[in-house]
Amino acid sequence: MPNLWVRIKKESGTSKDELHDSAVGTTNAAPYFWLHYGSPSAVSVANPAAVWNANYAGVWHFAETNNTLADSTAGAHPAANVGSVVAAGIFGNARDFRGSDYMDVAPAAFAAISNAVTVSLWVYGADSQPANTVCFYGSSAVGRELNAHITWSDANVYWDALGNFDRLSKAANPNLYKGGWNHWTFTKDARTGVMAIYVNGELWHSGTGKTLPCNPITAFRIGSDGWCSYLGRMDEIRVETVAQSAAWIRFQYQAMRDQVLVYGASGFVGVFFIEGQAGP
């Protein structure tokens, strides 16, 4: 689900569906903003390239109910589903992986990944966890390039990235991987040597000296590595070709939880995080 900002200097109107923008005026321009919702005749003007910039290798919302899960970026690399079923998600639909299910994505989606990467997703692990599970797996001609276990049977979370491969791992409390939705973000920047794991917008673990660059990815699978598979639900998977900052990751998480207020009369004056709201 993309984040949307609309800046209007001043609004006025005489009915609920009319907004007059003083910045637009009434001469040589339409004076109203029209909101269409729940209308089958409304024409889509979606522009994925404008929503998801070139840093995004792929964004999968899992909104569909068939076996082709659309990539919302301009690259348009769908995930081909094998077995996973529709389930209630953090945003509409999610996918439930039951131990042998997976999705394949064409490796062309990840061609721009070289020295840096960010992978984020929502997970709701099955009650049977901890177990040997795989959330996503990308490989090259020489082996593993991208991999996350949330969790392994030892209740550790593992993040493997680039160059076959640098690793981070840490024991996780059960509430972080099952019993509710949690947002996990994994980053690596081979130029700085920093790898990190974030949970629900906050830094959870990090390491340095992780300088192996990416080998070209030749296969990418969601929910399995061909041997082990995920147990539970996943939603909103995003892969980026940059290592996002802690501030960016926190902002993205808070925006998805409707906990961000951006205020400014002419441009951004302040960004406020609304604390204390119910989260996953």
Side-chain angles (χ1 to χ4, degrees):
M1 177 177 289
N3 303 306
L4 175 65
W5 292 269
V6 178
R7 179 165 63 88
I8 302 173
K9 291 184 178 180
K10 183 179 180 181
E11 306 87 30
S12 64
T14 58
S15 63
K16 291 181 179 179
D17 61 352
E18 294 181 357
L19 290 176
H20 179 266
D21 181 5
S22 60
V24 175
T26 57
T27 305
N28 299 323
Y32 302 113
F33 293 90
W34 297 94
L35 304 179
H36 297 268
Y37 54 93
S39 172
S41 62
V43 178
S44 173
V45 292
N47 182 355
V51 176
W52 308 104
N53 64 31
N55 290 334
Y56 285 92
V59 174
W60 297 273
H61 301 309
F62 294 168
E64 298 80 7
T65 58
N66 57 29
N67 286 325
T68 301
L69 290 304
D71 169 15
S72 291
T73 71
H77 294 98
N81 179 58
V82 179
S84 76
V85 296
V86 177
I90 192 75
F91 305 117
N93 291 336
R95 285 289 169 145
D96 191 12
F97 295 80
R98 300 160 297 170
S100 61
D101 308 324
Y102 61 89
M103 301 176 187
D104 283 328
V105 180
F110 313 99
I113 296 176
S114 58
N115 289 309
V117 68
T118 298
V119 184
S120 63
L121 70 163
W122 289 88
V123 299
Y124 192 133
D127 290 341
S128 56
Q129 290 215 46
N132 292 344
T133 67
V134 174
C135 287
F136 57 84
Y137 185 85
S139 60
S140 67
V142 297
R144 181 181 303 183
E145 296 291 328
L146 297 172
N147 174 70
H149 303 296
I150 314 175
T151 60
W152 201 243
S153 57
D154 58 4
N156 278 273
V157 170
Y158 292 87
W159 164 224
D160 304 325
L162 311 185
N164 190 43
F165 50 88
D166 288 316
R167 165 170 280 188
L168 286 180
S169 66
K170 182 181 176 181
N173 292 326
N175 65 297
L176 295 181
Y177 58 83
K178 66 179 181 180
W181 285 104
N182 287 282
H183 188 251
W184 290 80
T185 303
F186 303 90
T187 68
K188 178 180 176 179
D189 190 334
R191 293 160 297 191
T192 63
V194 176
M195 286 177 67
I197 304 173
Y198 297 79
V199 184
N200 297 330
E202 302 298 331
L203 181 64
W204 184 69
H205 189 38
S206 65
T208 58
K210 315 292 189 179
T211 58
L212 293 174
C214 186
N215 296 303
I217 292 173
T218 56
F220 188 86
R221 181 166 284 184
I222 297 169
S224 176
D225 63 357
W227 296 273
C228 299
S229 299
Y230 188 65
L231 293 166
R233 285 178 277 169
M234 287 194 282
D235 201 358
E236 190 67 18
I237 296 182
R238 305 177 183 181
V239 180
E240 302 175 60
T241 61
V242 298
Q244 292 289 5
S245 68
W248 171 268
I249 291 165
R250 184 170 190 248
F251 186 91
Q252 290 290 286
Y253 169 74
Q254 297 281 15
M256 286 188 283
R257 300 305 300 151
D258 292 332
Q259 294 177 356
V260 173
L261 174 64
V262 180
Y263 174 82
S266 58
F268 292 135
V269 171
V271 177
F272 303 93
F273 296 102
I274 305 171
E275 305 293 354
Q277 294 194 8

